[in-house]
Amino acid sequence: MSQSAALPIQDILERAHAYLPDICAFLRDLIRLPSTSCHEEAVVRRIIAEMHKLGHTAEIDGMGNALGWLGTGPRLLAYDAHIDTVGPGDLSNWHFNPYEGFEDQDRIGGLGASDQSGGMAAMLYGGKIMRDLGLLPEGMSVLMAGTVQEEDCDGLCWQYLIRDFLAARGLRPEAVVSTEPTNGTICRGHRGRMEIRVEVRGRSCHGSAPERGENAIFAMAPILIELERLAGNLGDDPFLGKGTLTVSEIFFSSPSRCAVADGCTISLDRRLTAGEDADSALNEIRNLPSVARLGKRASVSMYRYDKASWTGLHYPAECFFPAWSIPEEHPLCRAALRCRNNLFPNEKAVPGKWTFSTNAAAIAGMFGIPVIGFGPGREEQAHSPNEHTWKKDLERCAAFYALLPAMLA
């Protein structure tokens, strides 16, 4: 498509509307296939079948990501949708079967509908519209990636794609569009996160004479109090917001219920704002008086992820996911706003941010590749019972994905 050609806005919108029944049917198929992290094979193969049906070149990489391609130009724009989900949790909290889901005039319900199979469905049909109308600019190619293991380890799939799979082909995206849910806005950043382990070692003895031992649970108690105080004094950023810290798990070891505990460990979910990094987050805990007092009896470390993907690939990584943002005046953000304004001229869009973390923690935070987010559904639906998305969002996002490459050209 030449840069001087008139943009076929009405044709894009009409095709997105015409394809909506197919988008919805495909999304409902994805919902029916359980796809927790490391168990995505069935949903990957369903996505590959849909890619072939729509005429996209399709393949599965070594980690098990589903990859669809348009064009052969050297400039690479990538779209990302993670295709794994969390589990459904307590089924009594659901008003419908999370895998069968539901469909009414306005919504589609089911596990992963917003987080984020809806983005995958809209993305592929956005690519279909792109091909139908010749919207892919000369010299550009598009990668549509259905990525695995995001719920376990944000961005691990993209560490593999960028360092290994794409690098072996001499490719690197110049920009990436995340299709995570954005409630109709453009997202240009989010806080980072870390998974931190604090371990206290004690010495067991018989519970009838606890003074003979060193109780690890008692030793952890002042650490918990000081962590709660620390959580109220973390860094802040005008755009990304405040860093946060919460205790997410607690474990113990003891010979019996009649003994002094000889070990106590807690897990921390640490959300990182601008200016915070792995070293600063670890050291602020190591320097707490309650931790320093214990000396070698206490240790503070980062968790490491090393689960095999559904293909059997091990790709170990530290559980550190950096904060990132791009400025509102960045060319990618400006192109995304122009794209949205061309399609929906009667709406005012102000770029925002996600509260949660996404694969962009690796793409932008680790590799410095600019990312914007525009995806169907709402963030508050993620990891919640009775999850659903909106058909209007699916249609609008398909149109947006189809037009964006022309806006970037």
Side-chain angles (χ1 to χ4, degrees):
M1 178 183 180
S2 71
Q3 294 183 38
S4 60
L7 295 171
I9 300 299
Q10 193 57 37
D11 286 347
I12 294 170
L13 293 170
E14 287 176 359
R15 285 180 184 264
H17 183 69
Y19 285 137
L20 182 59
D22 296 311
I23 296 172
C24 294
F26 177 43
L27 173 55
R28 295 210 65 190
D29 278 358
L30 298 182
I31 289 168
R32 291 186 184 101
L33 298 169
S35 56
T36 53
S37 297
C38 308
H39 303 281
E40 304 98 337
E41 180 177 4
V43 81
V44 165
R45 298 199 182 282
R46 178 64 186 87
I47 290 166
I48 293 293
E50 195 76 7
M51 288 176 174
H52 286 310
K53 169 188 163 183
L54 297 178
H56 305 324
T57 301
E59 62 183 319
I60 301 171
D61 68 19
M63 183 171 274
N65 302 302
L67 307 179
W69 297 90
L70 292 172
T72 57
R75 295 181 61 193
L76 178 60
L77 171 66
Y79 292 82
D80 173 61
H82 77 79
I83 54 173
D84 57 327
T85 71
V86 295
D90 184 351
L91 292 177
S92 69
N93 289 324
W94 288 77
H95 299 153
F96 54 87
N97 184 311
Y99 294 108
E100 181 55 34
F102 76 87
E103 181 174 356
D104 61 24
Q105 184 175 346
D106 301 313
R107 300 173 301 161
I108 291 179
L111 182 62
S114 271
D115 186 28
Q116 60 141 146
S117 298
M120 185 75 241
M123 176 206 303
L124 292 194
Y125 280 84
K128 170 66 170 166
I129 298 167
M130 209 185 299
R131 291 177 67 250
D132 290 347
L133 299 178
L135 293 171
L136 186 62
E138 187 177 348
M140 183 177 284
S141 57
V142 165
L143 166 62
M144 296 170 289
T147 49
V148 299
Q149 290 179 276
E150 188 272 353
E151 294 292 3
D152 266 9
C153 191
D154 320 8
L156 182 71
C157 49
W158 277 96
Q159 291 187 54
Y160 168 79
L161 279 167
I162 293 168
R163 288 195 185 113
D164 295 85
F165 186 82
L166 294 176
R169 300 184 177 193
L171 295 172
R172 181 181 173 93
E174 66 176 56
V176 177
V177 180
S178 170
T179 65
E180 290 267 17
T182 62
N183 195 19
T185 193
I186 302 291
C187 285
R188 61 179 182 90
H190 62 63
R191 295 176 301 166
R193 73 179 187 92
M194 288 177 67
E195 297 175 5
I196 299 173
R197 175 186 177 97
V198 181
E199 183 176 3
V200 171
R201 292 171 292 280
R203 190 176 72 253
S204 63
C205 68
H206 200 283
S208 63
E211 68 279 2
R212 297 172 184 165
E214 294 176 330
N215 193 307
I217 295 175
F218 282 168
M220 183 66 78
I223 296 176
L224 291 168
I225 293 169
E226 290 184 8
L227 285 171
E228 187 174 19
R229 292 185 191 134
L230 175 63
N233 293 284
L234 298 173
D236 204 348
D237 178 76
F239 175 62
L240 292 181
K242 196 175 184 303
T244 61
L245 180 157
T246 190
V247 177
S248 55
E249 296 177 318
I250 187 163
F251 312 96
F252 75 93
S253 61
S254 177
S256 79
R257 289 197 296 270
C258 299
V260 165
D262 56 14
C264 186
T265 299
I266 57 172
S267 301
L268 306 179
D269 180 327
R270 176 69 162 90
R271 301 288 158 154
L272 304 160
T273 194
E276 296 181 321
D277 58 26
D279 287 340
S280 66
L282 292 171
N283 287 334
E284 66 193 1
I285 299 171
R286 289 168 178 153
N287 293 333
L288 291 174
S290 54
V291 175
R293 238 185 346 258
L294 290 172
K296 293 183 178 180
R297 287 182 57 202
S299 63
V300 179
S301 60
M302 198 179 341
Y303 278 98
R304 189 168 177 81
Y305 183 81
D306 189 16
K307 291 184 182 177
S309 74
W310 70 264
T311 64
L313 178 70
H314 281 267
Y315 203 82
E318 291 185 323
C319 295
F320 168 61
F321 314 97
W324 68 279
S325 65
I326 62 171
E328 194 167 337
E329 61 272 17
H330 191 283
L332 177 61
C333 192
R334 290 171 62 188
L337 287 169
R338 285 198 306 274
C339 183
R340 193 184 185 285
N341 292 338
N342 271 279
L343 291 166
F344 319 116
N346 297 323
E347 301 177 12
K348 176 77 172 174
V350 177
K353 63 182 185 293
W354 286 288
T355 302
F356 57 31
S357 180
T358 74
N359 279 334
I363 303 164
M366 294 181 183
F367 296 101
I369 297 170
V371 174
I372 59 101
F374 188 73
R378 299 178 185 173
E379 186 176 340
E380 60 266 27
Q381 291 293 315
H383 302 187
S384 296
N386 308 307
E387 183 179 355
H388 55 274
T389 194
W390 287 262
K391 292 181 176 180
K392 180 181 177 183
D393 287 4
L394 296 167
E395 182 178 330
R396 288 157 60 93
C397 287
F400 178 92
Y401 303 148
L403 180 59
L404 184 61
M407 292 287 98
L408 283 170

